Amino acid sequence: AQSVTQLDSQVPVFEEAPVELRCNYSSSVSVYLFWYVQYPNQGLQLLLKYLSGSTLVKGINGFEAEFNKSQTSFHLRKPSVHISDTAEYFCAVIIRGAGGTSYGKLTFGQGTILTVHP
Amino acid sequence: KAGVTQTPRYLIKTRGQQVTLSCSPISGHRSVSWYQQTPGQGLQFLFEYFSETQRNKGNFPGRFSGRQFSNSRSEMNVSTLELGDSALYLCASSRDGGLGNEQYFGPGTRLTVT
């Protein structure tokens, strides 16, 4: 079964420090990969996605992620965080080539709460 | 362009009642997916609709159902509510539900069952 593992449930960091949020997926098929952010009392907003091509993907708000097929990982990074980055971050996948069983279906990790301290 | 809207934003229901939640997708989007978010289970896929047809369904009991109208607006219904149905229900729209399509999420409906 497809699963997504976010290795850290909470990540505290000081403002202007770098951060990495880790995501691994288990799959014997190809996947599309996504990172979403959820601010309190809001829905999810897409930060970035990997469909194909360059394994380094740049997203909004200065975030980037690197797809590593051999490690089945898609870690999210930001070189310098701000207080406003405090939120919950979700890694998600869609399985490619699974036909009707994948339409509109994102499978999410459990989320990582990023807290940026001044 | 207006985003995904969900109504109502908050609901309080009693066990055994039923509830209907509404989702209006972004103009031009024809696919709507629904998710349930709880602290214990996280984000779980409920179902996806495209052109008024349910194309995909998650692992939820039959008490959870949905439909989509010709204008792509979608509703989901939960019958015989249980305490465990308390959750944030999110809908997301995309152009056609294709695997690489970005899903745009609404703010959610927070359902509390007492």
Side-chain angles (χ1 to χ4, degrees), chain B residues 4-18:
Chain B
V4 178
T5 58
Q6 293 186 244
T7 56
R9 290 292 311 276
Y10 302 91
L11 263 180
I12 300 175
K13 290 286 187 178
T14 304
R15 267 183 305 175
Q17 289 185 314
Q18 74 166 13

Side-chain angles (χ1 to χ4, degrees), chain A residues 11-52:
Chain A
V11 173
V13 65
F14 286 107
E15 194 173 19
E16 297 184 8
V19 70
E20 178 180 82
L21 306 184
R22 298 179 293 167
C23 172
N24 286 89
Y25 66 93
S26 62
S27 178
S28 59
V29 297
S30 296
V31 296
Y32 290 131
L33 295 147
F34 305 80
W35 274 100
Y36 282 85
V37 61
Q38 186 177 33
Y39 299 101
N41 299 314
Q42 295 187 29
L44 279 70
Q45 180 183 13
L46 180 70
L47 283 174
L48 47 79
K49 63 182 179 183
Y50 174 77
L51 304 184
S52 64

Side-chain angles (χ1 to χ4, degrees), chain A residues 36 38 43 46 101 103-104 106, chain B residues 33 35 37 45 56 102-103 106:
Chain A
Y36 282 85
Q38 186 177 33
L46 180 70
T101 61
Y103 285 126
L106 285 162
Chain B
S33 296
Y35 297 86
Q37 184 176 23
F45 172 78
N56 203 357
E102 176 177 349
Q103 292 191 22

